[in-house]
Each structure stands twice: as C-alpha cells, then as structure tokens.
C-alpha cells in the first residue's frame, strides 16, 4: 500500500512529534484542531489543518465521525492516533478502515481484545504469561465486586477495565472504604472512557512498574526494544521514566522481554506496543498488568537508547514495510531519563493550572531532547490533559543521564502558568531515585504531607522588584512601574536626595509585603522591612535579562515580565499589587469561612450534600472534574450545610462558591 499523507488525530506534544516524523519520511501531515486549539503549535507546524469541533474533547478529538470526515476531506491516506483520545478505540480503527484509510496501529480486533484489561489478562494467561492475582470477570454488579474484593484481600487496586493514565483507578486498604472507592473509580471511568467495567488486583506493596517496548510488522516479525522503568508515579500517573530499568536481575529482565514478544506473537500484534508488568523486587517476581496497543508517552527514552525512531517505524509498518532489523541487531546503549512537564501546582495539591504561556525557553546540550506542544503565547485550557512537554536526557550511564536531566529541567522556562518543574528537580535528587532503588510508593513516602515549594530568596525578590522599576523607567517615567495602577507610590526628592518606590509584592499568591527600591541611575538599593536585599551598581534590563554588580561580583538573571507580574528562574510568580487589595490568595478549595470553591475551571460532577445536612471535618461534599481528573472537595470543619450553589453536570469557573457550610464560632467563650 502507499501512504503519502497522514492525518494526526491528536494534539499537543505528540501531534508535534508525529508531524516531525512525517517530515523525516517525506510525508504530508494533516493536523486536526478544536476551537480551543486554533492557535496551537501542532496546527502551525503541520502542512494542513482541519477544524473538527468545539473545545470539549467530546465535541472534537473524541468525535470519530468528525475525525474520519476530516481525513477524507484532506485526502489523507492514513491516520495516526498518537496516544490518549481515540488511540485505543477499536471502533475508531474500524471506522478508518471502512473509510479506506490506513490506521497506524494494530487491527481493531487486537485493540478491542487488549484494550480491555480483563480480556488482556485472559490472553496473557493463554500465552503462558503470569498475571497479577485478582478478579477480571464479566459480572460487574457492586455486590459481586465487593465479594471478590474480600476474596482477593486488602490492600487491593480497583482499575477501569478500559482505562489508562491513572484514571478510574483507586487503592483500597479497608473493606469499609471499598464502596466509595468503587463509585469514584466508576465515575472517572465513565467520564474518561465511556465504560465503567472494573477489575480488581492484589496490591503489590513497594512494587515497580516495568514495561517492555515491542515492535511488529505485518509479515510476522516481532522484536522487543528492551525495557523501561516507570515507577515514579503520583496518583497512578507516571512522572519520570527511564530506560533501561535499573537494578533488575538479568534473568528477570530476560523473562519479561521474552514473555512480551511471545504475547505479541500470540495475539497477532502489529505496530508499536507496550507490555506492562508489576515487579516485586523483594520476591524477584514480575506479573503482567496490561498491554497498551499504541505509542507510549515515554517512548523517547527507548528511542534514545536504541537509536530507533518508533514513530517513523509505526508509519513504515502501516505502509506495509518489513522491519529493517532483527532482535540480534538491536543494542541498548547508555541510559535515558524523561520527565513530564505538567501545568499543575504541586504545592497546592497538584491543582491543574490554566492560562497563557508568556515566556518559554527550552534547554539544550549534549544528550538533551525536548518534546513540546507549546510555545510563548500558547494558552493552557481546562479541556485537555495537563501535560505540556517532556524533557529527556541521555548519557553513557544512569548517573550522567540523571545529572543532565536535572540541569535541563533547571534551564527550562515555562512562565505564565505554574508547572511541576521544580518538583521534578527535587524528585531527581531523592536518594532512593539516585540509587535506582525506588518503587511506586516513593513520592508518597518522600512527601507524606505534600510538596512545599522552595522559598524565594531575598536576592530573587530584590531582583524582581529592581527589574520592575527598571521596566517602568523605560517608559520615560523615572521610578514609575509600567502601569500607573499597579500600586507603587513614589516619595519625591527634596534637597536632591533620591526618592523611593514602595511596591506591594505577593509571591505565588501569598500575603503581600512591601519592598522599597531607592536611588536611580548607577546605584539602586532594594529593602524589605529594613533588610537590604540588593545594593546594585550599574543595573540594566534588556531582553528579559537583569544585569548588575554588587560587592565586586556581576550578576545576570533571566526574568519574564508581563504587565504586573514577573516570573523568576525558579518558576515562582511575583505579583505587584494595588496597595490595600491584598494578595491573590490560595484559590479554590475550602476557606476558613466555610465557603467551598471550585479549585479550577471544570465541571461539577457530583454534589453529596443538601441544605441542612450535618457534615464532619474532611467529609467529601462535592466532586469536580478538570483536565480529565476528579478532585474531591472536603468540608474544612464540622458544621451544617447552609447553601448549595451548583448542580451536578454544570460547568464551573475557578473560585466559584459551590457550597456554604455554617461553621461553629471560633470565638473564645
């Protein structure tokens, strides 16, 4: 068959990645986009782009008829689904075939079989692959699942049979918690996959998530491209991945590689796929978990250690080519580590973030690769997954790769929305990760009370204030900030003495503080409550770089300035406020006044209380969905529900008051 043009049924960084693979093969690329992605990077890079619907995924990227119609209208020969959305949808693969389009991936039958975690476990058992003990039967009523949970024993995992990406998944430690956890998992599964069938698995304490990349053509050739470790996870979502898996016994590694090839042959697989295992290091045992019948987010680490372009080979296999290599031709060279950059605030419970990217700068250097779907000016919306980019580092050994990735993350700039970049740097420095002795429980163990962002230093705050005033000076208003309404007030200059600019400053939404910048010309002093933060000589601001001298040393700091805000190299946001208005505060969640607000734009999925109901401290009163994740909103203290201001199914804006609770008086008797 002939493939000359490819429609990319996806968005973001994976769509950009596929565009580049098409270009390397001389293929024409066709992007699709929703109303929210009209100005997205993948749209600008593709040879052609077709609008497929509204902002919500269900109105665009998940609309099979719209995607197929776009492919036919653009005269595409093939459709590459990427990952997520329709990538593992058997009906979509079949619809492509019925429309005369080549689907870049396995057959609809294989997708359906392996896309069901239950059916996949049955296939693995038939192929002689050991599976995790549990329940994956057809009976799905709540009573049956509760009974099976008792048989499997606690702790256990509830998983969506059609799921992936950590959605529709809950750990349950006690029988009494099972009904609520099952309801939540079912709700997430219905919202994300349109299917609430569940399975149960024994929870492997301190397990490692190890997976094997396979590649198969249409002519019966199957190879593995070695293994990856994806054990650094939060809420069952991968954050850091690496290849090969560290500290894995040779015999165990070989068994997983061989079993993965055997399974792929058994089901008649074609294209790129991943066989996932849970590995119990203490017992040196590995069990099959599932098979992903698509490209994985973490595929770059495999590409870095093998030199094989997986996306290009997906396209070549779809066109009918034979693999150009056998198993004995493949080598795993060096080590690669990847970190996922997400628009979320780890210091605020990993709350998803939205807004415009006002500054963006990618790292570079030996062994560094960045797969990104954003640029300066991109807008992060609440409609899709929060992942923005991936930073990958390759080195001759694991420690070299880790160090390179750490440096690259420190050099990455994504300003305008908060990200998990600083958190990832700290994760790479954890002793258990450095030693390669980590497991899926590492993050919960390392940050039991949640992660706290490192404090902004006095020098960094002083640099932000100095840059702010220098930017104002560039408007020919000495000492004035860029906008008159932003809150600096200036003391005049009697008797020839330099005046001062007094700035109300809030760092990452905290309570405001006053910072004073005095002097002008070749000398500026920045103070806070009598503390000297900077005594800068010859300060200059140009191209987003602040340069100055102090005590015989020269400093250069790259900052991003946008109206009343400055973003520091650490990613911290410094806001300059109108005096008396207070800081931005911590948006969303439950306040001390008993008002429970939406933590981000999204959809109110469930309201669990009514007016007059008594509630206990920590009780879940509502559930909000945003960026495909569910967030439980809890009562801050015991009280009585005074008002319910939202209905299930309705869209909500960030900071919208959803529920009001009358709290007991905090006054002393």
């Amino acid at each position: 068959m002939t493939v000359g043009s490819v429609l990319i049924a996806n968005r973001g960084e994976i769509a950009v990645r596929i565009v580049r693979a098409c270009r390397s093969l001389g293929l024409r690329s066709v992007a699709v986009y929703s109303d929210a992605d009209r100005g997205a990077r993948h749209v600008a890079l593709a040879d052609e782009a077709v609008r497929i619907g509204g902002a919500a995924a269900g109105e665009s990227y998940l609309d099979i008829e719209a995607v197929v119609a776009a492919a036919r209208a653009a005269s595409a020969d093939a459709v590459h689904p990427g990952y997520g959305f329709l990538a593992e949808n058997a009906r979509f693969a079949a619809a492509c075939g019925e429309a005369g389009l080549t689907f870049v991936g396995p057959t609809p039958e294989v997708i359906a079989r392996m896309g069901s975690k239950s059916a996949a476990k049955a296939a693995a058992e038939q192929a002689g692959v050991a599976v995790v003990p549990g329940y994956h039967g057809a009976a799905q009523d709540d009573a049956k699942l509760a009974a099976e949970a008792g048989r499997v024993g606690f702790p256990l995992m509830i998983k969506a049979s059609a799921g992936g990406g950590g959605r529709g998944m809950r750990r349950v430690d006690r029988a009494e918690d099972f009904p609520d956890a099952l309801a939540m998992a079912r709700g997430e599964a219905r919202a994300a996959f349109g299917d609430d069938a569940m399975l149960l698995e024994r929870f492997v304490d301190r397990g490692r998530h190890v997976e094997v990349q396979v590649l198969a053509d249409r002519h019966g050739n199957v190879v593995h491209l070695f293994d990856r470790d994806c054990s650094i996870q939060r809420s069952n979502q991968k954050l850091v991945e690496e290849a090969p898996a560290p500290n894995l016994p040779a015999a165990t590694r070989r068994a997983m590689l061989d079993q993965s090839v055997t399974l792929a042959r058994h089901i008649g697989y074609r294209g790129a796929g991943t066989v996932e295992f849970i590995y119990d290091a203490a017992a040196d045992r590995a069990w099959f978990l599932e098979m992903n019948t698509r490209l994985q987010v973490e595929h770059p680490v495999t590409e870095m250690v093998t030199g094989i372009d997986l996306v290009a080979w997906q396209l070549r296999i779809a066109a009918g080519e034979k693999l150009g290599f056998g198993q004995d031709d493949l080598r795993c060279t060096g080590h690669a580590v990847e970190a996922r950059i997400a628009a979320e605030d780890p210091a605020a419970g990993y709350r998803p973030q939205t807004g415009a990217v006002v500054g963006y700068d990618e790292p570079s250097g030996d062994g560094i690769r960045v797969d990104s779907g954003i640029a300066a000016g991109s807008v992060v919306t609440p409609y899709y997954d929060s992942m923005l980019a991936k930073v990958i580092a390759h080195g001759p050994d694991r420690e070299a790769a880790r160090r390179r990735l750490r440096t690259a993350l420190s050099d990455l700039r994504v300003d305008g929305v908060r990200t998990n970049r600083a958190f990832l740097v700290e994760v790479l420095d954890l002793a258990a990760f450095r030693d390669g002795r980590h497991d899926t429980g590492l993050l919960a163990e390392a940050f039991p009370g949640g992660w706290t962002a490192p404090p902004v230093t006095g020098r960094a705050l002083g640099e932000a204030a100095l840059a702010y005033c220098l930017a104002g000076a560039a408007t020919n208003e000495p000492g004035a900030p860029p906008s008159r309404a932003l809150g600096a007030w200036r003391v005049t200059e009697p008797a020839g003495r330099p005046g001062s600019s007094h700035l109300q400053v809030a760092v990452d939404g905290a309570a405001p503080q006053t910072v004073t910048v005095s002097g002008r010309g070749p000398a500026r002093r920045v103070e806070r409550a009598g503390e000297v933060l900077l005594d800068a000589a010859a300060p200059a601001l140009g191209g987003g770089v602040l340069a100055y001298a102090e005590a015989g040393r020269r400093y250069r700091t790259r900052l991003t300035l946008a109206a009343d805000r400055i973003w520091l190299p650490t990613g911290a946001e410094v806001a300059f406020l109108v005096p008396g208005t207070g800081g931005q505060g911590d948006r969303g969640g439950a306040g001390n006044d008993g008002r429970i607000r939406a933590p981000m734009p999204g959809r109110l999925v469930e309201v669990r209380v009514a007016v007059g109901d008594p509630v206990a401290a920590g009780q879940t009163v509502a559930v909000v969905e945003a960026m495909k994740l569910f967030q439980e909103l809890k009562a801050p203290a015991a009280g009585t529900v005074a008002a319910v201001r939202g209905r299930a199914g309705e869209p909500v804006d960030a900071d919208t008051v959803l529920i009001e609770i009358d709290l007991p008086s905090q006054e002393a008797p």
Side-chain angles (χ1 to χ4, degrees):
M1 67 188 71
T2 301
V3 173
S5 61
V6 180
L7 181 130
I8 303 163
N10 219 294
R11 65 176 301 279
E13 59 88 18
I14 185 54
V16 172
R17 170 72 181 90
I18 299 169
V19 167
R20 289 176 172 160
C22 288
R23 191 164 294 161
S24 73
L25 296 174
L27 303 177
R28 174 172 154 267
S29 59
V30 180
V32 293
Y33 64 91
S34 70
D35 288 343
D37 276 343
R38 187 177 300 274
R41 188 178 182 189
H42 74 281
V43 175
L45 292 177
D47 297 312
E48 184 178 343
V50 182
R51 177 188 177 274
I52 52 172
E59 301 171 359
S60 50
Y61 299 106
L62 290 173
D63 187 333
I64 292 175
E65 288 72 25
V67 174
V68 171
R72 298 183 69 173
S75 299
D77 302 307
V79 174
H80 195 308
Y83 40 69
F85 293 131
L86 298 171
E88 293 178 285
N89 188 305
R91 188 165 71 86
F92 177 56
C96 289
E98 292 164 3
L101 300 162
T102 298
F103 180 78
V104 181
T107 64
E109 294 76 20
V110 169
I111 293 174
R113 185 179 187 184
M114 305 310 287
S116 164
K117 287 184 172 66
S118 299
K121 287 178 182 294
E125 288 174 330
Q126 293 167 10
V129 179
V131 303
V132 180
Y135 173 75
H136 50 270
Q140 285 290 310
D141 59 278
D142 288 3
K144 172 64 173 176
L145 290 176
E148 289 295 334
R151 179 186 63 80
V152 173
F154 296 90
L156 59 75
M157 294 295 293
I158 303 174
K159 291 186 177 181
S161 181
R167 300 177 183 92
M169 188 182 297
R170 288 290 187 279
R171 173 180 169 172
V172 187
D173 293 311
R174 305 179 305 168
E176 53 265 40
D177 297 331
F178 185 81
D180 282 348
L182 177 61
M184 287 293 294
R186 282 199 193 278
E188 281 191 357
R190 280 193 299 270
F193 315 113
D195 183 346
D196 65 357
M198 313 304 290
L199 58 85
L200 309 177
E201 289 178 350
R202 178 190 299 168
F203 178 75
V204 178
D205 191 31
R206 308 202 72 83
R208 287 175 56 190
H209 187 133
V210 180
E211 60 189 31
V212 176
Q213 177 72 60
V214 295
L215 199 59
D217 62 23
R218 295 169 178 258
H219 307 280
N221 300 303
V222 184
V223 298
H224 68 73
L225 284 85
F226 307 102
D227 50 86
R228 300 184 287 249
D229 186 292
C230 307
S231 301
I232 300 296
Q233 300 179 7
R234 179 189 63 77
S235 300
N236 303 306
Q237 289 190 304
K238 303 168 187 174
L239 293 179
V240 178
E241 303 102 342
E242 59 183 305
N247 297 317
L248 197 61
T252 303
R253 191 189 308 273
R254 174 51 56 191
M256 280 192 269
L257 298 178
D258 290 345
Q259 289 178 37
S260 298
V261 171
T262 298
L263 178 59
R265 287 190 193 281
H266 174 74
I267 62 175
Y269 198 78
R270 73 183 188 207
T274 301
V275 182
E276 304 198 352
F277 296 86
I278 186 73
Y279 172 61
D280 184 342
D284 190 22
R285 291 199 60 184
W287 291 279
F288 170 82
L289 282 177
E290 62 181 324
M291 184 175 189
N292 289 300
T293 56
R294 54 168 169 80
L295 193 69
Q296 292 281 90
V297 174
E298 57 271 22
H299 75 273
V301 293
T302 293
E303 293 183 326
M304 297 288 265
V305 297
T306 63
I308 301 296
D309 187 327
L310 287 170
V311 181
W313 270 107
Q314 283 187 295
L315 295 167
R316 295 171 71 170
I317 289 169
E321 287 191 38
K322 291 184 178 181
L323 289 177
F325 44 83
Q327 192 65 65
D328 292 341
D329 299 315
L330 294 169
R331 296 288 182 274
C332 182
T333 304
H335 204 96
V337 190
E338 170 184 290
R340 303 187 187 192
I341 306 301
E344 62 183 21
D345 185 358
Y350 305 94
R351 184 180 302 157
Q353 302 292 295
T354 59
V357 177
V358 298
Y360 180 70
D361 192 17
E362 294 181 353
S364 60
D366 290 343
I368 300 301
R369 166 177 164 179
V370 179
D371 285 13
S372 170
I374 60 170
S378 294
V379 177
V380 180
T381 73
Y383 301 107
Y384 315 116
D385 187 273
S386 62
M387 190 175 71
L388 305 178
K390 302 175 303 195
V391 182
I392 310 101
H394 179 260
D397 54 47
R398 186 174 186 271
E399 178 59 13
R402 187 194 71 84
R403 288 179 178 273
R404 284 179 175 177
L405 180 58
R406 190 189 188 287
T407 299
L409 289 174
S410 298
D411 291 343
L412 175 71
R413 297 295 300 272
V414 184
D415 297 326
V417 293
R418 295 180 190 175
T419 74
N420 61 343
R421 180 184 66 99
F423 169 69
L424 291 170
V425 170
E426 192 164 332
V427 169
L428 294 180
D429 283 341
L430 293 174
F433 182 79
R434 288 200 314 268
D435 296 341
R437 301 289 178 182
H438 55 284
D439 53 57
T440 55
L442 174 62
L443 298 189
E445 182 179 281
F447 308 106
W451 181 75
T452 302
V456 172
T457 65
R459 178 173 296 279
L461 181 61
E463 288 176 339
L466 178 57
Y468 188 69
C469 287
L470 291 175
T475 67
N476 295 320
E477 295 182 45
S483 170
R484 294 176 185 271
L486 295 180
W489 69 92
R490 185 166 180 80
V491 178
T492 56
E493 306 179 2
R497 290 176 294 172
S500 301
S501 292
H502 303 277
L503 308 171
Q504 289 280 86
V505 177
V507 178
D508 283 341
Q513 51 191 307
T514 300
V515 175
T516 300
V517 182
S518 58
R520 60 179 179 175
R524 301 290 179 99
R525 171 170 289 187
V526 185
E527 299 175 274
R528 174 185 57 188
E531 173 193 7
V532 177
L533 305 180
L534 284 183
D535 223 338
L541 179 68
V545 176
L546 173 69
Y548 63 95
E550 184 179 32
R553 297 179 61 182
R554 296 290 302 175
Y555 295 88
R556 286 175 56 84
T557 303
R558 180 171 293 279
L559 306 167
T560 298
L561 293 79
D564 62 340
R565 282 165 171 72
I566 288 179
W567 282 268
L568 303 175
T570 60
E573 175 189 1
V574 181
F576 297 84
L577 310 171
V578 176
T581 60
Q584 293 171 289
D586 185 21
R587 296 166 62 89
N592 293 330
D593 58 359
R595 294 181 179 181
I596 297 178
R597 298 171 168 81
M600 75 287 284
R603 181 174 66 92
L604 182 58
V605 175
E606 185 180 1
V607 177
R608 297 189 179 180
V609 294
V611 173
D613 286 354
V615 293
Q619 177 180 334
T620 299
V621 296
V623 180
V624 171
E625 177 195 7
M627 292 182 173
K628 301 182 183 179
L629 294 177
F630 283 31
Q631 181 162 344
E632 298 181 4
L633 305 184
K634 301 179 184 295
T640 303
V641 177
V644 176
R645 304 195 180 281
R647 291 185 299 179
E650 292 181 339
V652 295
D653 293 326
D655 230 19
T656 300
V657 176
L658 301 176
I659 295 172
E660 295 184 29
I661 300 175
D662 280 339
L663 302 177
S665 173
Q666 300 298 312
E667 295 180 3

